Amino acid sequence: MSFRVTDKLRTLLVPSTRVVVFTGAGVSAESGIATFRGAQSLWSDFRIEDYATPQAFSADPVRVWEWYNWRRREILKTGPNRGHNAICRFERYFKDFTLITQNVDGLHDQAGNRRILKLHGDIWETRCCMCGNSVIDKAEREQPLPPLCECKGKLRPGVVWFGEFLPEIVHEQAISSSKSSELFFSVGTSAQVYPAAALPSLARQHGAYVVEVNIEKTSAADYADEVLIGKSGEVLPELLEYFAAG
Ligand code: OAD
């Protein structure tokens, strides 16, 4: 064991505990997907305002689409890692389990999770700016870019950009699950981007036992009862060893 599992956490690792796992880009780091912050991250190489705002898309939809096509290709080269797979086991083990993710890469779906609240959308979704019609597929968007809808509206990636609201119903469900959770894991997120980053403290205020899993402490640690330092692909599989047999 690279970390110590406290008695309190052990007692909570039973199927009847209401559990939320809240994930960020760090969960996909071991699949080779760049995180957003820190060394060799997306936002150290690209400016948010050029790629991840509605204004960027209005100003240069071709540049934005080329970037998303590149990110799609990077994700297609890889697959879920041990951390994703462990979170899938969590869903099967805990009777009341919610996965809330900020990730748009679809690797949780690929790992087998079924109940996923995607706070920042889905990179595999393409949505019309005019009629709102959306499709989910893994095909690269071909030239000419931006692709157009049958209604002639511009199609955009179905992700949430800076300055946009989170999908309302998904956000409400995330708040409600966090408030009613008894055990809340904040995994692989820098907990810097709001409103998502408010969920660990919300869970704590409503009585959840909050556990951060990260390679370093983040601001979520301020609200955490425990911080398990390590890679999610190592820490989460180790936690499975405490699941009751059968
Ligand atoms: P960040 O890139 O901000 O943070 C990634 C976190 O993962 C950091 O705290 C790392 O320490 C941690 N980490 C890295 N490798 C890890 C590993 N193997 N195991 C565990 N932890 C690891 O990513 P997010 O917090 O997801 O939003 O970023 C939040 C939002 O900001 C994203 O959804 C995206 C971004 O801009 C939008 O695009 C709207």
Side-chain angles (χ1 to χ4, degrees):
M1 279 281 164
S2 50
F3 56 90
R4 202 178 74 83
V5 175
T6 60
D7 290 344
K8 172 69 184 177
L9 180 53
R10 285 173 83 140
T11 60
L12 286 168
L13 294 177
V14 292
S16 56
T17 304
R18 287 190 300 278
V19 175
V20 164
V21 171
F22 169 57
T23 63
V27 169
S28 297
E30 288 157 83
S31 295
I33 309 284
T35 58
F36 292 95
R37 295 171 185 78
Q40 294 173 323
S41 62
L42 285 177
W43 299 147
S44 62
D45 288 343
F46 303 96
R47 291 177 352 139
I48 288 176
E49 53 273 38
D50 290 339
Y51 296 96
T53 64
Q55 293 79 2
F57 187 70
S58 300
D60 198 339
V62 177
R63 176 173 60 198
V64 171
W65 261 114
E66 282 173 345
W67 193 66
Y68 277 92
N69 274 338
W70 166 72
R71 286 186 57 199
R72 280 177 164 215
R73 285 195 298 272
E74 290 297 300
I75 299 163
L76 282 175
K77 283 183 205 161
T78 182
N81 62 52
R82 293 181 74 219
H84 295 107
N85 294 338
I87 294 169
C88 177
R89 293 272 307 277
F90 276 45
E91 182 169 309
R92 293 185 185 153
Y93 178 74
F94 294 108
K95 292 194 174 75
D96 186 334
F97 174 82
T98 307
L99 172 57
I100 305 172
T101 190
Q102 299 162 90
N103 299 348
V104 298
D105 54 31
L107 294 181
H108 284 306
D109 308 65
Q110 234 180 293
N113 280 95
R114 288 294 163 255
R115 185 155 185 252
I116 311 174
L117 299 177
K118 296 180 182 179
L119 287 177
H120 292 165
D122 187 335
I123 200 167
W124 306 109
E125 182 187 341
T126 305
R127 191 173 71 239
C128 177
C129 296
M130 230 151 66
C131 70
N133 195 27
S134 81
V135 290
I136 294 190
D137 65 37
K138 296 207 165 170
E140 192 165 317
R141 296 297 148 187
E142 306 283 352
Q143 303 288 345
L145 296 172
L148 296 180
C149 179
E150 284 173 3
C151 79
K152 306 281 182 243
K154 279 185 202 149
L155 293 171
R156 58 164 282 177
V159 299
V160 176
W161 284 325
F162 285 89
E164 294 185 318
F165 291 109
L166 302 189
E168 198 178 336
I169 293 172
V170 173
H171 189 206
E172 278 168 11
Q173 289 173 339
I175 289 173
S176 150
S177 303
S178 301
K179 281 182 175 174
S180 64
S181 66
E182 295 167 298
L183 177 58
F184 182 104
F185 289 96
S186 180
V187 187
T189 175
S190 61
Q192 284 186 33
V193 177
Y194 285 82
L199 294 174
S201 63
L202 185 71
R204 180 75 198 275
Q205 282 160 25
H206 286 80
Y209 191 74
V210 176
V211 179
E212 167 160 70
V213 178
N214 201 303
I215 52 172
E216 61 187 22
K217 270 191 182 182
T218 73
S219 56
D222 298 345
Y223 310 102
D225 295 281
E226 284 186 41
V227 180
L228 305 180
I229 295 288
K231 294 181 176 179
S232 50
E234 293 170 3
V235 173
L236 297 176
E238 285 186 26
L239 290 180
L240 299 177
E241 293 172 20
Y242 290 91
F243 283 10

